[in-house]
Amino acid sequence: TCMSLLGQSLNDEATPDKRQKGKMEGMIITTLLLTSYNASSNVVKWRPHLETAGRLLMHSAYYQNNDNTDTIEFGKVERETLAFCRSWFFSIEIIAGMSSNWGGTMNDRDWKVMELWIEEDSDFLRGMRINWKNPNIDNEGVDDFNLMLGYSDKLAIVLGRLCCVLRRARLGEKLKLSEISWFLTQLECKEIKEYYLLSHTGYLNKDFRHEPSLGIPAEAVEKFDDIDLNGDIVYVSWWDICYQAHRMSGIIHTLTKLFMLDRNHFLVMNAIEETVNLLKFLRTKKKIKSYALMMFQFCVFLVGKWTTEIEHRSLVSKYFRDLHDFGTIAARYSMKKLERLWRNEDGDQEEEDIINY
């Protein structure tokens, strides 16, 4: 899809105006492709590409004053392409802000602008079937499930703000307790904690039947017959698993990186146990078909990093083996890092600027 968009945008037969748009679109898409390709490389650096993509996106739409009214012009990039690229950028930037030792590339001021894009782009992303309206929520607002992110727009806002605070903490800024506590309050509030598409636990019983009227594709659910302790058939709702995994990543990071709690603290242990409950699909002996498995690798990495249980480490190891079979480059790197940590060889020092993407 990305290469197709790039080819169309750089078409030599386009009009001069479209060629100008195409050049900007081509630059943005190319830098995002380079970021994605190099995210797990310790040879070619992804960070300059991601930062460039962010700057191009910031300048791809500009405000003009017309008769004392602020209006926005999207003359430099086609509107649908802009929404697509912004969402792609968010998917990498938030993971970078959470998983890289150096954080993401955007500062607080940048994020305040970008936060507005999430609601602004919602209709365009729905039209491209990237955003899906939650069938359980009637009110209009920022509540879509974004396939490129793997979670809802509202959760994206919270995790984006968390990345900004993590960045400030890495720079040595002293944070207020109320500022840190806000994240736990948000991540545990009913609206975010109980958000779901098919099941807030991520699992559905044997009586589940897919209803096309809900607007959720059948491939978002997978059937398992060997993960329930009673031997019953269980259906896994991959979108719900992915959503909750990212929510739990935010909680674990807040506890360990901001509150500075160690792995033996009961709050950290409870968060790890809750996250492991999401991963019971790893008990299966069959080959998992869904590429959704690739969407929440950072969450599983955090479980491996902070757990004290051998059983949890076994599930984490299986996850990254399965992920490696999908061809994910980061899986091998993550597993090696965890194995060093489990052997007490690595501590918390992470020198390489690699992200779980």
Side-chain angles (χ1 to χ4, degrees):
T1 301
C2 299
M3 292 305 297
S4 176
L5 281 170
L6 181 57
Q8 292 171 14
S9 69
L10 297 177
N11 187 348
D12 290 336
E13 297 180 358
T15 64
D17 181 57
K18 286 189 175 180
R19 279 202 300 270
Q20 185 179 9
K21 289 182 179 180
K23 288 178 182 178
M24 177 65 84
E25 291 172 355
M27 286 190 290
I28 295 172
I29 294 172
T30 300
T31 53
L32 287 170
L33 280 170
L34 289 169
T35 304
S36 300
Y37 185 77
N38 295 312
S40 301
S41 171
N42 56 5
V43 178
V44 181
K45 301 303 180 184
W46 57 268
R47 184 173 294 277
H49 300 307
L50 183 61
E51 187 168 6
T52 299
R55 295 303 167 205
L56 288 171
L57 287 169
M58 291 285 282
H59 290 91
S60 61
Y62 56 90
Y63 288 89
Q64 286 187 330
N65 190 273
N66 182 16
D67 298 328
N68 297 319
T69 303
D70 287 333
T71 58
I72 190 163
E73 285 280 340
F74 296 104
K76 299 182 181 179
V77 179
E78 292 291 347
R79 192 63 186 85
E80 289 78 8
T81 307
L82 182 62
F84 170 79
C85 289
R86 284 172 169 179
S87 193
W88 190 1
F89 174 82
F90 284 142
S91 73
I92 307 174
E93 176 68 22
I94 291 176
I95 286 296
M98 299 275 280
S99 67
S100 169
N101 197 41
W102 286 272
T105 62
M106 298 294 104
N107 57 35
D108 290 33
R109 184 179 60 184
D110 295 329
W111 180 253
K112 285 179 181 178
V113 174
M114 292 180 173
E115 211 173 81
L116 301 175
W117 299 349
I118 293 175
E119 186 171 5
E120 192 175 273
D121 292 341
S122 183
D123 288 340
F124 295 97
L125 293 173
R126 283 188 197 176
M128 291 184 281
R129 298 177 73 82
I130 292 172
N131 266 25
W132 291 71
K133 188 78 173 69
N134 189 323
N136 305 296
I137 301 176
D138 295 328
N139 63 302
E140 292 296 326
V142 187
D143 53 22
D144 286 358
F145 182 88
N146 184 305
L147 286 179
M148 295 187 78
L149 301 179
Y151 43 91
S152 73
D153 289 340
K154 285 184 179 177
L155 184 56
I157 290 173
V158 176
L159 293 181
R161 292 181 185 180
L162 176 59
C163 290
C164 291
V165 172
L166 286 168
R167 181 177 183 274
R168 287 159 49 202
R170 290 184 183 102
L171 294 173
E173 182 177 332
K174 188 174 182 180
L175 303 170
K176 295 179 180 178
L177 180 60
S178 59
E179 188 175 19
I180 299 173
S181 299
W182 182 87
F183 292 103
L184 287 184
T185 301
Q186 291 297 308
L187 293 166
E188 290 284 9
C189 76
K190 183 176 181 179
E191 185 178 14
I192 289 180
K193 183 176 182 178
E194 298 185 8
Y195 179 99
Y196 73 96
L197 295 151
L198 295 173
S199 167
H200 71 274
T201 68
Y203 294 89
L204 301 142
N205 63 32
K206 61 183 179 181
D207 298 323
F208 169 76
R209 295 294 180 271
H210 179 256
E211 294 288 344
S213 61
L214 292 177
I216 298 174
E219 56 267 26
V221 180
E222 190 168 348
K223 178 181 176 181
F224 291 83
D225 59 10
D226 61 348
I227 63 176
D228 184 79
L229 297 178
N230 297 320
D232 289 334
I233 290 173
V234 173
Y235 293 87
V236 173
S237 171
W238 288 118
W239 293 9
D240 287 306
I241 293 284
C242 199
Y243 173 88
Q244 291 294 340
H246 283 93
R247 184 182 74 87
M248 292 308 302
S249 295
I251 290 174
I252 294 170
H253 241 28
T254 300
L255 293 173
T256 57
K257 293 294 186 180
L258 297 181
F259 281 104
M260 304 300 290
L261 303 181
D262 66 34
R263 58 175 46 85
N264 294 308
H265 193 283
F266 77 96
L267 288 176
V268 176
M269 295 174 71
N270 287 347
I272 293 298
E273 191 64 41
E274 186 175 344
T275 308
V276 168
N277 286 336
L278 290 172
L279 306 178
K280 63 183 181 182
F281 63 84
L282 290 171
R283 296 174 186 163
T284 187
K285 292 182 173 60
K286 77 167 190 174
K287 185 176 179 62
I288 296 174
K289 300 176 182 178
S290 178
Y291 281 93
L293 200 68
M294 303 168 67
M295 293 291 290
F296 45 89
Q297 54 183 303
F298 176 59
C299 175
V300 182
F301 177 82
L302 284 182
V303 171
K305 180 177 181 179
W306 294 105
T307 187
T308 59
E309 301 292 330
I310 298 298
E311 182 183 356
H312 296 171
R313 291 180 179 180
S314 178
L315 285 177
V316 169
S317 297
K318 183 181 187 302
Y319 172 85
F320 283 113
R321 285 197 303 271
D322 291 348
L323 204 61
H324 186 264
D325 290 342
F326 272 109
T328 305
I329 299 173
R332 185 178 180 184
Y333 169 80
S334 297
M335 197 61 245
K336 284 186 174 180
K337 188 156 65 169
L338 286 173
E339 287 172 347
R340 291 197 303 269
L341 180 64
W342 295 342
R343 293 194 300 265
N344 295 318
E345 294 176 3
D346 201 25
D348 280 339
Q349 299 302 314
E350 300 171 16
E351 297 178 359
E352 295 176 309
D353 193 15
I354 292 177
I355 58 178
N356 300 88
Y357 182 77

